[in-house]
Amino acid sequence: MNFQKVFVMTTPVSQGAIAAPYIPSPVQESKLPQAAAGSAPESAAQAGAKELLGVLGLTPALMADEKNKESILDVIDRTFAKVMAGYDKQLEEIKAKKLQQKGAIDDLSLIRKIVTEYKNAHSDETGAIDLSNVVVTLPKSSPLYAEGKRTMKLSELTAYYQKEHSELNLPDMPKTMGELKFTQDQVTDALRITLEPDSQQAFTDLQRCMQERTAMWNMQSTMYRIIFDGFRKLNP
């Protein structure tokens, strides 16, 4: 197998770009000294490579095991592939969670809008009210929109979130102006205290996961560079 790997230079995540890849000239892996060889003194590059391997829980003994025919590069590739797969799964889960939260925020914002508009338009009324049959157009981000629903009654939308998201503590449909004000306050609290902070936390988790994934990618690139430079010095 030719020792030819693509080395990506470290780039801060905030810049959103990665520099051009560093591609060393091919070196025959058969010419590379194995970790089991102890005749030559250990170079700084080899020591650095071992230190980085230790971070991943790998040891030189693993490479020297006669039953394990993988090269150091194979072990690095396999180990980082598993680590990256874990981060990719985390990213998928966080993104799915953010989509769900956005749908809930948009739906509750719609409920608050309808309630607030009715309250402002009927501020002088003191009798019974009935908003249960008011029809609303669902936002495309709504989980109900994904189920094929485009419009539904306000009472049905409220009932959905009472059942599926009891933690939001949405009240039943208001029957008086006093209850309407209470509904407005509860929906506002659900948005301000629960959904919006959770959405911000999910965004923070997404950034953290992306930064850690990039750091791991850069560590892999650094390990390739250290090993390549060390072997190149030993095999001029």
Side-chain angles (χ1 to χ4, degrees):
M1 178 176 69
N2 287 337
F3 180 75
Q4 184 175 11
K5 297 287 181 179
V6 176
F7 299 81
V8 181
M9 301 299 291
T10 302
T11 301
V13 176
S14 60
Q15 293 180 2
I18 298 179
Y22 160 62
I23 305 178
S25 57
V27 177
Q28 293 296 321
E29 189 171 343
S30 59
K31 297 182 180 180
L32 304 182
Q34 301 300 309
S39 56
E42 185 179 77
S43 67
Q46 287 173 311
K50 286 183 179 179
E51 182 178 351
L52 287 174
L53 288 171
V55 173
L56 297 176
L58 304 175
T59 64
L62 175 62
M63 271 36 102
D65 187 353
E66 288 298 326
K67 296 181 180 179
N68 188 340
K69 299 302 182 181
E70 290 182 307
S71 70
I72 292 177
L73 302 181
D74 291 331
V75 174
I76 293 175
D77 286 346
R78 174 170 52 78
T79 302
F80 274 100
K82 178 183 289 188
V83 173
M84 289 302 189
Y87 279 118
D88 288 342
K89 182 179 180 180
Q90 286 186 49
L91 287 172
E92 290 178 3
E93 293 173 348
I94 295 173
K95 288 177 181 178
K97 183 178 180 181
K98 279 184 61 62
L99 286 175
Q100 293 174 355
Q101 290 170 335
K102 181 178 182 348
I105 289 174
D106 291 346
D107 280 344
L108 262 68
S109 296
L110 177 60
I111 294 175
R112 181 173 62 179
K113 177 176 179 292
I114 298 298
V115 168
T116 301
E117 288 178 349
Y118 186 92
K119 176 175 171 289
N120 292 339
H122 302 81
S123 58
D124 295 334
E125 294 185 9
T126 57
I129 63 173
D130 184 7
L131 301 180
S132 58
N133 291 319
V134 173
V135 176
V136 298
T137 300
L138 296 174
K140 291 184 178 180
S141 59
S142 173
L144 294 164
Y145 190 98
E147 295 177 5
K149 296 180 174 63
R150 298 296 179 263
T151 61
M152 65 189 315
K153 293 180 180 179
L154 185 63
S155 56
E156 294 173 334
L157 183 59
T158 300
Y160 171 83
Y161 279 96
Q162 285 178 321
K163 178 181 178 181
E164 300 297 331
H165 297 278
S166 57
E167 74 278 4
L168 299 178
N169 297 316
L170 293 189
D172 294 333
M173 289 298 297
K175 298 180 180 179
T176 66
M177 291 300 292
E179 292 180 357
L180 184 69
K181 177 63 168 64
F182 177 72
T183 297
Q184 182 186 39
D185 291 341
Q186 286 296 101
V187 173
T188 299
D189 286 346
L191 286 166
R192 180 174 56 86
I193 298 175
T194 303
L195 290 175
E196 291 173 355
D198 285 352
S199 180
Q200 181 58 45
Q201 182 59 50
F203 179 74
T204 300
D205 291 342
L206 182 64
Q207 284 188 315
R208 173 193 54 75
C209 189
M210 292 177 65
Q211 289 171 348
E212 290 179 0
R213 187 183 187 282
T214 300
M216 197 61 63
W217 174 260
N218 289 333
M219 179 183 289
Q220 182 180 17
S221 177
T222 299
M223 291 180 70
Y224 288 154
R225 180 184 292 276
I226 289 175
I227 293 172
F228 174 79
D229 288 346
F231 289 156
R232 185 174 57 181
K233 290 177 182 178
L234 294 174
N235 296 268

